[in-house]
Amino acid sequence: MDTPHPPHAPVPGPLTCLVTGATGYIGGRLVPELLDAGHRVRCLARAPERLRDHPWAGRVEAVRGDVTDAATTAAALRGVDVAYYLVHSLTTGPDFEERDRAAARTFADAAHAAGVRRIVYLGGLVPGGEPARDLSPHLRSRAEVGEIFLRGPVPATVLRAAVIIGSGSASFEMLRYLTERLPVMVTPSWLGTRVQPIAVRDVLRYLVGSADMAPEVDRAFDIGGPDVLTYEEMMHRYAAIAGLPPRFIVRVPMLTPRLSSLWIGLVTPVPPALARPLAESLRHEVVCRDHDIARHVPDPPGHPVGFDRSLELALQRVREANVTTRWSNASLQGAPSDPLPTDPDWAGGSLYTDRRSRDTAAGPGELWRIIEGVGGENGWYSFPLAWAVRGWLDRLAGGAGIRRGRRDAARLRVGDSLDFWRVEEIEPGRLLRLRAEMRLPGLAWLEMYVDPHAVPDGPAGAEGPPGVRTRYRQRALFHPRGLLGHLYWWSVSPFHAVVFGGMARNITRAAERLAAQEPPAG
């Protein structure tokens, strides 16, 4: 039986909203929407520094904390009117359901103690009438978290969505890469399951509109677009909209969710750790049972957005390199989060270092443009086969691999994923520090510096040799874990001259070519 909720008077003026998961795909897009709606926003994040380069960072309050920690959660919820719960433990290991359950209870209790007026949760659309035991673990956990909030003492809005289509979403990128890379496919039987996709802009519209719901509203809502399609139909529609030849698809029944996830991981940038729960969920028919949400968040003209239009909008964002958040914004299971030890006498143990530097006639600006453009389509400027092999080995070990690419082709910000790295620090024009998220017996970083230490054609011995304008400095660091970590470093160190030495040489050469292409200033 649901707990009765005390009546709340309407809150005049803007609301104070807490957004958890602001470093993630939906959270990073919800924050500016709430701000544009006139609300005040506080972001709860385990690493608030990852928010600092977002365009809206100066307009929000960022606090450090974790929804699994009662003390930091309680502190973050003080003075909050509406709390958005956009986190889950999907890729944290086999016990993720228990983690999700405990975190939701902690959050619900803390919200009640803080006097929060509403919790808004984005969960998964579940098939009607199917016992919980028959659901995939991913859907079962999403449904249970929603029930915890609905049974709790704070009025809740639980939004249940199936496949979310938007530039950078895991569902969109899985659909995109499967369709683009495989003109002929042998596919699992779940491609015939019906789903009701929804455009990310409609998800955000419902999330923002939920903040103003009347106090007596305390229920779940199915949200979806106007189209009900099989995954196979979605692939054919994508091919048509993207201008690709028709795809030939053969379904086979023997591909289990595990085999499907490995197949998805082989073809797409989505790693098996994330692909498996997505594939497991797609074996269920997930179609909205109603559209009651429109009584509380009315549909404006042109909404909900149809599937074809949502694909067109997502592809336009991809082609314009205007993807604001991606599925890879969130760290993967096992990815290290330890910051680089900066104490020269660091007591954490061994810290292996590979240093390289090269002088170049390119200016600081040209050198920085090359540095900020590394990875993705531009590659890593040395021994492509070695990087590709390392990426494949990482994928086989369940890691991200090297195919996550970049959010933006030219610009980086703290927290961005970059192939199997994460941007840990960036000082525009000077420093890029990457933290490895590949599977390693230790922690690794790669730093690239711009050091404008000389004047063009200056006298030898002044600040540098004649003609030298800039020095490029590069540092790779590795903190081993146990004997295996030490063995790993010594086994790969013979290749550093080729990989890291070639990288330094080719980056400076690329900067010089860029400088030669650009007309002189003035």
Side-chain angles (χ1 to χ4, degrees), residues 26 29-34 36-37 39 84 86 120 122 157 159 161 164-165 197-213 221-226 291-306:
I26 293 293
R29 297 189 180 207
L30 174 62
V31 169
E33 297 290 332
L34 289 171
D36 290 345
H39 300 307
Y84 286 88
L86 304 174
V120 181
L122 178 60
T157 300
L159 303 177
I164 297 176
I165 301 297
I198 182 171
V200 67
R201 59 181 56 198
D202 279 321
V203 174
L204 297 171
R205 182 171 60 84
Y206 291 136
L207 286 167
V208 173
S210 296
D212 297 312
M213 283 187 178
F221 297 93
D222 292 352
I223 59 173
H291 190 54
D292 291 356
I293 186 70
R295 294 180 0 205
H296 304 277
V297 186
D299 293 328
H303 289 267
V305 177

Side-chain angles (χ1 to χ4, degrees), residues 257-470:
R258 174 170 173 75
L259 289 175
S260 295
S261 67
L262 294 174
W263 170 67
I264 293 168
L266 182 69
V267 176
T268 81
V270 180
L274 181 56
R276 183 169 184 177
L278 291 175
E280 287 178 334
S281 298
L282 286 170
R283 62 186 169 90
H284 301 290
E285 180 170 290
V286 279
V287 177
C288 296
R289 290 177 288 273
D290 55 57
H291 190 54
D292 291 356
I293 186 70
R295 294 180 0 205
H296 304 277
V297 186
D299 293 328
H303 289 267
V305 177
F307 178 71
D308 289 0
R309 180 57 180 157
S310 67
L311 287 181
E312 291 170 355
L313 292 167
L315 283 169
Q316 181 181 348
R317 287 289 189 102
V318 170
R319 289 164 181 162
E320 293 175 352
N322 188 24
V323 180
T324 54
T325 62
R326 297 182 68 218
W327 62 270
S328 55
N329 281 36
S331 298
L332 296 172
Q333 172 193 355
S337 58
D338 307 50
L340 176 68
T342 53
D343 183 353
D345 300 318
W346 183 52
S350 302
L351 190 64
Y352 293 113
T353 305
D354 180 278
R355 288 185 172 88
R356 310 277 166 173
S357 67
R358 286 184 68 88
D359 292 336
T360 175
E366 291 87 11
L367 181 57
W368 177 251
R369 283 174 59 186
I370 298 300
I371 290 173
E372 195 176 11
V374 297
E377 295 296 324
N378 294 326
W380 292 90
Y381 292 93
S382 73
F383 204 0
L385 178 61
W387 287 92
V389 169
R390 187 62 185 89
W392 279 109
L393 291 174
D394 194 52
R395 297 284 282 194
L396 291 173
I402 203 168
R403 292 185 300 169
R404 287 192 300 185
R406 302 170 53 104
R407 177 191 58 83
D408 186 290
R411 294 172 296 277
L412 294 174
R413 64 191 184 200
V414 169
D416 273 0
S417 61
L418 182 59
D419 292 332
F420 48 39
W421 304 90
R422 178 81 57 182
V423 179
E424 182 175 276
E425 182 59 76
I426 185 168
E427 297 177 18
R430 180 179 176 272
L431 165 67
L432 175 63
R433 178 185 299 143
L434 307 175
R435 185 184 69 244
E437 289 192 332
M438 65 193 82
R439 297 304 178 96
L440 290 170
L443 305 174
W445 297 265
L446 177 62
E447 293 180 329
M448 289 169 272
Y449 295 87
V450 175
D451 184 6
H453 74 290
V455 178
D457 299 318
E463 293 185 47
V468 171
R469 299 178 61 187
T470 317

Side-chain angles (χ1 to χ4, degrees), residues 38-96:
H39 300 307
R40 296 179 292 266
V41 177
R42 179 183 300 162
C43 298
L44 174 66
R46 286 176 294 178
E49 58 274 10
R50 285 180 53 185
L51 301 174
R52 76 170 200 216
D53 291 336
H54 286 264
W56 41 260
R59 302 167 60 197
V60 305
E61 177 189 1
V63 297
R64 188 179 303 275
D66 192 313
V67 293
T68 62
D69 180 74
T72 57
T73 300
L77 286 164
R78 290 193 193 105
V80 166
D81 299 307
V82 180
Y84 286 88
Y85 193 84
L86 304 174
V87 296
H88 58 80
S89 305
L90 183 61
T91 59
T92 58
D95 60 345
F96 80 91

Side-chain angles (χ1 to χ4, degrees), residues 214-233:
E216 62 271 15
V217 178
D218 182 32
R219 55 164 291 189
F221 297 93
D222 292 352
I223 59 173
D227 301 295
V228 176
L229 305 161
T230 67
Y231 205 87
E232 181 176 341
E233 290 171 331

Side-chain angles (χ1 to χ4, degrees), residues 221-251:
F221 297 93
D222 292 352
I223 59 173
D227 301 295
V228 176
L229 305 161
T230 67
Y231 205 87
E232 181 176 341
E233 290 171 331
M234 290 165 60
M235 296 175 79
H236 286 306
R237 299 269 279 267
Y238 180 95
I241 289 169
L244 302 172
R247 271 30 197 165
F248 185 73
I249 297 173
V250 178
R251 282 189 245 149

